Amino acid sequence: MTVNDDSFTNWKIREEIAESMIPLIGKLHRERDVTVLLHSRSLVNKSVVSILKSHRFARQIDGAELSVTETMPFLEALTALDLGPSQIDLGMLATTHKADDRGLSVAEFTAEAVAGATGANKIERREPRDVVLYGFGRIGRLVARLLIEKAGSGNGLRLRAIVVRGGGAQDIVKRASLLRRDSIHGQFQGTITVDEDTSTIVANGNAIKVIYADDPSSVDYTEYGIRDAILIDNTGKWRDREGLSKHLRPGIEKVVLTAPGKGDVPNIVHGVNHDTIKPDEQILSCASCTTNAIVPPLKAMDDEYGVLRGHVETVHSFTNDQNLLDNYHKSERRGRSAPLNMVITETGAASAVAKALPDLKAKISGSSIRVPVPDVSIAILNLQLARETTREEVHDYLREVSLTSPLKRQIDFITAPDAVSSDFIGSRHASIVDAGALKVDGDNAILYLWYDNEFGYSCQVVRVVQHVSGVEYPTYPATAV
């Protein structure tokens, strides 16, 4: 048998094992609210190839590809336990078991490592939390996709309604079509049907009421059976506490804004300051996509090196706020054709840093250029550090942050020398450090941070909503056993 034959046979064996993992992962998720991860990457609703690629990612952490033959026994051991709602990382289980010298079997080690999620220790399954989307544009539709994807057992977040202004004949059909097909992010993963008589979109079994309203004050959500809901405002029309308070109608308990908040509205970047949200806070902001892209790596750099000052230049994809062709616009430059020009504009990301990182003493300035690509942007973060360092040190530090730190869901790291913007469409991280572009000279460091300003940001929004809803479950194993 040739090497090629050996490789192909090995691939087919791993394919078969990955196929057998899918129903086990799905059953744990649906019946017990358990999300199976592999080095922080979810395996729920993933294809065979996606599962195998996730195992290959383990090379970045352990220096060798993790095989499904190694993780499958841990998954089988999990199915035999009385698990409660949690996130369980197969990669961490396999890694810590390999390093453990007590001679425990896979079943014994797994039971010990996830003991906090079993028996008397387990969290009780919570009632589903209603979510309402106010506005159904680019971010609204991507958040909807994520909420539907994560519906799982039905005991987490449940998208109950979207609120839009009436758009005329077949309005709901057209909105459902935009949810079903997206020119950038591809086809919706599942099925969508429309009931025009009841103004309902049914996506993967989730019945979503379409409510038509021109103003928040005209809606009583309890009329639709909605209770204690979190409303996500995707319009950006109201950004201060007074304006956003209009959403606090019957049926709505909290309001989350997908734009930078003004005044005393907290700007939250998940992974950095989400733990500061007060339990009784009813109104909060998820800041901007650019703020979410720069704040996690800025915090990481400040924690290790100290940051004295910095400047961020964002090269940002165009958005619906700009014109396709030259036309009147209230902003001086955004009226010029978005697909034909680079457009200098402003960004509020630098000023928003102070809200997300109040302990950061460095002055951060910022500016932005809109460019003719429809999605994925890059932030160039130029920092003066409190001590001198080397490119190798910063490279290795940021790589480790992306793999093992509490910011690993926010910061990704790529070494591919030929990476370009379209490679990051669909990234679930807030930002991705481009290792090849990193520059360090003494106390000066320049970081190039890619980010999917649509999907990556939407993932951050959903993480904040999960946190304030109490459905962000603990991860096991928490530490090496």
Side-chain angles (χ1 to χ4, degrees), residues 141 145 176-183 186-188 192:
R141 292 195 295 273
R145 285 188 174 201
S177 181
L178 286 168
L179 178 62
R180 184 182 292 113
R181 288 179 287 271
D182 189 284
S183 300
Q187 298 275 346
F188 174 81
I192 294 176

Side-chain angles (χ1 to χ4, degrees), residues 171-181 192 194 201:
D171 179 275
I172 189 172
V173 173
K174 293 174 182 177
R175 294 185 190 277
S177 181
L178 286 168
L179 178 62
R180 184 182 292 113
R181 288 179 287 271
I192 294 176
V194 174
I201 296 173

Side-chain angles (χ1 to χ4, degrees), residues 105-125:
S105 68
V106 167
E108 291 169 336
F109 183 85
T110 301
E112 181 178 288
V114 303
T118 60
N121 297 322
K122 69 181 182 182
I123 298 171
E124 290 303 316
R125 298 176 70 178

Side-chain angles (χ1 to χ4, degrees), residues 336-352:
R336 302 299 297 277
S337 173
L340 298 178
N341 294 290
M342 292 189 291
V343 179
I344 296 174
T345 186
E346 69 285 340
T347 175
S351 59

Side-chain angles (χ1 to χ4, degrees), residues 107-410:
E108 291 169 336
F109 183 85
T110 301
E112 181 178 288
V114 303
T118 60
N121 297 322
K122 69 181 182 182
I123 298 171
E124 290 303 316
R125 298 176 70 178
R126 294 183 173 90
E127 290 296 313
R129 187 66 177 271
D130 291 350
V131 178
V132 173
L133 296 178
Y134 198 97
F136 206 51
R138 298 297 300 155
I139 300 302
R141 292 195 295 273
L142 290 178
V143 168
R145 285 188 174 201
L146 286 164
L147 292 172
I148 293 164
E149 170 194 303
K150 296 177 182 297
S153 65
N155 285 67
L157 301 176
R158 183 172 62 171
L159 178 56
R160 295 293 308 281
I162 61 173
V163 184
V164 293
R165 290 178 294 180
Q170 289 199 307
D171 179 275
I172 189 172
V173 173
K174 293 174 182 177
R175 294 185 190 277
S177 181
L178 286 168
L179 178 62
R180 184 182 292 113
R181 288 179 287 271
D182 189 284
S183 300
I184 295 170
H185 301 284
Q187 298 275 346
F188 174 81
Q189 297 300 302
T191 63
I192 294 176
T193 58
V194 174
D195 187 335
E196 290 187 80
D197 292 336
T198 61
S199 293
T200 302
I201 296 173
V202 181
N204 290 357
N206 295 267
I208 307 161
K209 182 73 175 180
V210 179
I211 301 170
Y212 293 99
D214 294 326
D215 187 87
S217 61
S218 64
V219 187
D220 181 343
Y221 294 94
T222 60
E223 293 180 358
Y224 306 96
I226 296 171
R227 300 284 188 278
D228 302 323
I230 295 177
L231 182 144
I232 305 174
D233 184 326
N234 306 292
T235 68
K237 183 176 180 181
W238 304 277
R239 293 170 58 182
D240 59 12
R241 188 172 296 275
E242 180 182 0
L244 292 168
S245 294
K246 296 179 181 180
H247 290 304
L248 294 173
R249 302 282 300 154
I252 303 298
E253 184 181 24
K254 295 180 184 291
V255 179
V256 175
L257 171 65
T258 61
K262 294 182 177 180
D264 67 343
V265 174
N267 278 254
I268 304 300
V269 174
H270 190 275
V272 174
N273 67 337
H274 66 277
D275 289 336
T276 66
I277 301 173
K278 298 175 182 177
D280 60 349
E281 179 61 73
Q282 288 189 286
I283 296 173
L284 55 93
S285 157
C286 289
S288 70
C289 56
T290 301
T291 303
N292 277 264
I294 66 173
V295 164
L298 183 57
K299 181 184 188 306
M301 291 297 289
D302 187 53
D303 287 346
E304 180 66 18
Y305 301 101
V307 175
L308 301 181
R309 67 174 295 116
H311 176 80
V312 59
E313 186 78 37
T314 68
V315 183
H316 199 292
S317 57
F318 63 77
T319 68
N320 274 330
D321 177 63
Q322 296 170 256
N323 291 332
L324 285 175
L325 295 172
D326 290 1
N327 204 353
Y328 173 82
H329 195 289
K330 62 181 180 180
S331 296
E332 292 179 342
R333 300 187 202 241
R334 292 195 189 189
R336 302 299 297 277
S337 173
L340 298 178
N341 294 290
M342 292 189 291
V343 179
I344 296 174
T345 186
E346 69 285 340
T347 175
S351 59
V353 167
K355 279 192 170 185
L357 287 174
D359 293 335
L360 182 71
K361 305 306 179 187
K363 175 178 171 56
I364 306 295
S365 58
S367 52
S368 179
I369 302 172
R370 296 289 180 95
V371 294
V373 294
D375 187 32
V376 179
S377 305
I378 190 167
I380 305 166
L381 191 57
N382 193 332
L383 303 175
Q384 182 187 354
L385 306 177
R387 68 175 174 89
E388 293 193 353
T389 181
T390 65
R391 184 183 186 281
E392 291 73 22
E393 183 186 346
V394 175
H395 176 285
D396 292 347
Y397 170 66
L398 290 175
R399 176 183 176 276
E400 192 62 26
V401 165
S402 74
L403 295 174
T404 61
S405 83
L407 291 171
K408 62 187 177 183
R409 295 174 75 191
Q410 282 70 44

